[in-house]
């Protein structure tokens, strides 16, 4: 906020804006989102190509109409920049630490630093795996076992206030036991903004344990795909005591069916708020990527939540392409602790004339700003899928439009 009565404040604010703008123009293309919120168009392509042409020729190229070989350098440079500093794929690898946290070496090229540090690391290894890990595994099995048993018992009761009361108490107790299994140290901020019944809670997604981090401070209705095995047993027992929303694999692909079930849930003000992670995949605790617009089309009140982990004590990010669920949980339980902060942001509603994509971007920006995360426009689905051909075609269209447009201007003249 710029203080008009404080000239120094104005100067500092404008200086900050100039620095941020300069940094974006230097290291990034200038983007403007399309109406669908996914395709982004660089607005500096024509100017940069003209600059490259001027640097290689003394002719007046402002009116150039034909392809020039030097234009290739623009696309080659952008390609190399993306390879060297790709802001998408590096969001799916563990956050780098500047110092050693007694878990691993800060640099894998130096396995031996000194005898003293090696002995200290060995003692830490003994404590973590010999004492903490068995204790935490015992707590985890206790929490999950109680969750399955007690929710099944509560599910036998008739629907009513008593069942809802017992269900909330059982869920909170079991989730808090699971939080102890991770030695999670959580700081909750602005609890007066906690999600209320009939609303949708949306949060950035770093790890599967985001669920128990939030659910240990309040009850939510979970949304997800039906699984088999142990996870399926847990889901079937939970839904008996609380109206969670589980989808069959075939139903997940039907957006209208998903939206209908979510809409029916939030219309009943007696039901718990829905917990959704709109990114659809885990990001490495440094950024927030594109929110899927589905949960913002319903028209319900949205309660944003920002989650930020402290990576010095344990890396909470789940790299699903590198670790399975079991190995990931063992890594969590063998770390010193999981330390994080949770901010409950004021509720937000869709404004007049605002579409679902704009609403999702506004919520995402608020979460990124509060959590100190980088706000990115890219779709987290690029973690597993290739860039769509439409993205590539957009670049081709922009370049051809530049040439064709210039030729039209030339014909008019």
């Amino acid at each position: 906020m710029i203080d008009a009565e404080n000239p120094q404040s104005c100067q500092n604010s404008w200086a900050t804006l100039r620095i941020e703008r300069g940094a974006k123009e230097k290291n990034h293309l200038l983007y403007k989102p399309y109406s669908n919120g996914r395709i982004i168009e660089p607005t500096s392509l024509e100017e940069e190509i003209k600059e490259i042409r001027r640097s290689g020729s003394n002719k007046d190229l402002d009116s150039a109409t034909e392809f020039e070989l030097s234009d290739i350098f623009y696309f080659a440079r952008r390609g190399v920049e993306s390879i060297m500093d790709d802001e998408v794929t590096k969001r799916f690898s563990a956050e780098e630490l500047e110092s050693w946290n007694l878990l691993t070496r800060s640099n894998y090229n130096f396995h031996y630093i000194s005898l003293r540090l090696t002995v200290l690391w060995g003692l830490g290894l003994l404590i973590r795996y010999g004492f903490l890990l068995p204790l935490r595994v015992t707590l985890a099995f206790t929490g999950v076992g109680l969750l399955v048993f007690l929710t099944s018992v509560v599910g036998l009761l008739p629907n009513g206030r008593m069942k809802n009361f017992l269900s909330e108490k059982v869920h909170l107790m079991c989730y808090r036991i699971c939080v102890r299994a991770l030695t999670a140290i959580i700081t909750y901020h602005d609890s007066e903004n906690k999600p209320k019944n009939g609303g949708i809670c949306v949060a950035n997604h770093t790890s599967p344990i985001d669920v128990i981090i939030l659910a240990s401070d309040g009850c939510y209705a979970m949304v997800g795909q039906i699984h088999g095995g142990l996870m399926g047993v847990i889901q079937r027992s939970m839904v008996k005591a609380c109206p969670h929303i589980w989808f069959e694999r075939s139903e997940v692909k039907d957006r209208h069916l998903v939206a209908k079930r979510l809409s029916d849930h939030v219309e009943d003000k007696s039901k718990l708020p829905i917990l959704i992670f709109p990114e659809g995949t885990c990001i490495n605790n440094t950024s927030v990527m594109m929110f899927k617009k589905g949960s913002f089309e319903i028209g319900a009140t949205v309660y944003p939540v920002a989650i930020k982990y402290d990576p010095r004590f344990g890396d909470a990010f789940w790299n699903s392409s590198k670790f399975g669920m079991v190995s990931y949980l063992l890594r969590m339980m063998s770390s010193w602790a999981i330390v994080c902060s949770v901010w409950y942001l004021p509720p937000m509603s869709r404004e007049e004339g605002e579409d679902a994509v704009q609403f999702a971007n506004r919520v995402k920006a608020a979460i990124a700003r509060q959590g100190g995360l980088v706000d990115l426009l890219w779709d987290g689905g690029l973690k597993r899928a290739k860039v769509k051909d439409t993205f590539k075609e957009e670049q081709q269209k922009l370049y051809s439009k530049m040439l064709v447009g210039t030729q039209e201007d030339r014909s008019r003249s």
Side-chain angles (χ1 to χ4, degrees):
M1 183 71 69
I2 298 175
D3 186 0
E5 297 180 1
N6 187 348
Q8 185 64 34
S9 173
C10 294
Q11 293 177 2
N12 294 338
S13 300
W14 285 115
T16 302
L17 289 173
R18 286 197 299 270
I19 292 172
E20 291 177 351
R21 182 178 179 183
K24 289 181 179 179
E25 292 178 352
K26 178 179 179 181
N27 299 321
H28 216 283
L29 293 175
L30 299 178
Y31 292 113
K32 69 174 183 180
Y34 275 79
S35 59
N36 61 10
R38 291 194 300 270
I39 300 176
I40 47 180
E41 172 184 315
T43 58
S44 59
L45 181 147
E46 183 174 356
E47 289 78 5
E48 293 197 25
I49 288 182
K50 284 183 178 180
E51 185 64 29
I52 292 176
R53 290 183 178 184
R54 291 191 192 97
S55 63
S57 174
N58 294 325
K59 297 184 296 181
D60 180 13
L61 296 177
D62 286 336
S63 60
T65 61
E66 298 179 354
F67 165 78
E68 289 208 3
L69 189 61
S70 61
D71 296 351
I72 297 175
F73 290 108
Y74 169 80
F75 299 100
R77 185 182 68 185
R78 287 300 179 192
V80 172
E81 288 177 351
S82 297
I83 293 173
M84 297 299 295
D85 188 19
D86 179 12
E87 66 176 4
V88 177
T89 56
K90 69 181 181 181
R91 308 299 175 182
F92 305 119
S93 57
E95 184 179 3
E96 294 182 3
L97 296 177
E98 296 181 358
S99 59
W100 181 34
N101 62 353
L102 298 180
L103 295 175
T104 58
R105 309 296 183 180
S106 58
N107 190 331
Y108 283 99
N109 294 324
F110 296 94
H111 294 283
Y112 178 82
I113 300 177
S114 70
L115 179 60
R116 181 180 301 175
L117 287 179
T118 301
V119 171
L120 186 61
W121 178 79
L123 290 175
L125 190 70
L126 183 63
I127 294 172
R128 289 189 290 114
Y129 285 90
F131 174 72
L132 294 179
L133 181 59
L135 178 62
R136 291 168 176 172
V137 170
T138 302
L139 285 173
F141 276 106
T142 302
V144 173
L146 285 175
L147 180 65
V148 172
F149 175 73
L150 294 178
T151 51
S152 299
V153 172
V154 172
L156 299 175
L157 300 176
N159 293 332
R161 295 180 61 183
M162 179 59 68
K163 181 178 180 179
N164 293 337
F165 174 78
L166 292 176
S167 175
E168 291 185 14
K169 295 301 181 182
V170 166
H171 278 83
L172 283 174
M173 180 185 69
C174 295
Y175 281 127
R176 287 171 180 174
I177 293 175
C178 292
V179 163
R180 299 297 184 272
L182 298 170
T183 314
I185 303 172
I186 313 167
T187 304
Y188 297 98
H189 304 271
D190 305 320
S191 295
E192 65 275 9
N193 297 324
K194 287 176 61 174
K196 295 178 174 57
N197 291 358
I200 298 178
C201 175
V202 298
N204 58 300
H205 199 23
T206 303
S207 162
I209 67 173
D210 293 339
V211 175
I212 64 173
I213 293 294
L214 294 176
S216 62
D217 190 46
C219 290
Y220 297 90
M222 308 298 176
V223 179
Q225 181 176 297
I226 294 178
H227 294 274
L230 177 60
M231 183 61 69
V233 173
I234 297 174
Q235 288 180 323
R236 288 191 294 271
S237 62
M238 289 173 60
V239 79
K240 293 177 182 178
C242 180
H244 299 288
I245 305 175
W246 307 128
F247 295 98
E248 296 286 354
R249 186 179 297 274
S250 58
E251 294 177 338
V252 174
K253 299 179 182 179
D254 190 342
R255 292 182 61 253
H256 297 289
L257 177 60
V258 173
K260 179 67 168 57
R261 291 188 62 182
L262 295 178
S263 179
D264 291 343
H265 183 98
V266 298
E267 286 178 359
D268 188 347
K269 300 304 179 183
S270 64
K271 292 184 177 180
L272 297 174
I274 300 175
L275 176 58
I276 297 178
F277 301 101
E279 289 170 297
T281 188
C282 295
I283 313 298
N284 71 345
N285 196 42
T286 63
S287 312
V288 182
M289 302 189 78
M290 188 187 80
F291 279 5
K292 305 295 190 299
K293 65 179 182 178
S295 55
F296 298 90
E297 293 176 325
I298 301 173
T301 302
V302 171
Y303 295 87
V305 176
I307 307 174
K308 178 67 175 178
Y309 291 91
D310 189 335
R312 293 176 297 174
F313 304 97
D315 183 18
F317 169 61
W318 182 34
N319 188 346
S320 57
S321 61
K322 186 176 181 180
F323 301 104
M325 177 60 74
V326 175
S327 59
Y328 166 75
L329 291 176
L330 289 176
R331 285 172 58 88
M332 293 298 96
M333 293 179 186
S334 61
S335 63
W336 289 110
I338 300 297
V339 182
C340 72
S341 295
V342 175
W343 290 271
Y344 296 109
L345 279 67
M348 302 174 68
S349 300
R350 191 166 163 180
E351 298 177 349
E352 184 178 356
E354 187 178 44
D355 60 27
V357 172
Q358 293 170 334
F359 184 28
N361 288 335
R362 184 160 59 89
V363 173
K364 177 168 66 76
I367 292 175
R369 183 167 54 250
Q370 180 62 72
L373 305 167
V374 179
D375 185 3
L376 297 177
L377 294 171
W378 297 103
D379 185 356
L382 294 174
K383 177 179 182 179
R384 297 180 179 87
K386 294 182 179 180
V387 177
K388 295 181 180 179
D389 291 336
T390 53
F391 285 19
K392 303 175 185 177
E393 291 171 359
E394 285 299 322
Q395 298 295 318
Q396 298 169 355
K397 290 178 181 178
L398 286 170
Y399 181 63
S400 62
K401 182 180 178 181
M402 185 190 78
L403 296 179
V404 174
T406 307
Q407 289 175 356
E408 292 176 352
D409 295 340
R410 181 183 178 184
S411 62
R412 294 194 193 100
S413 60

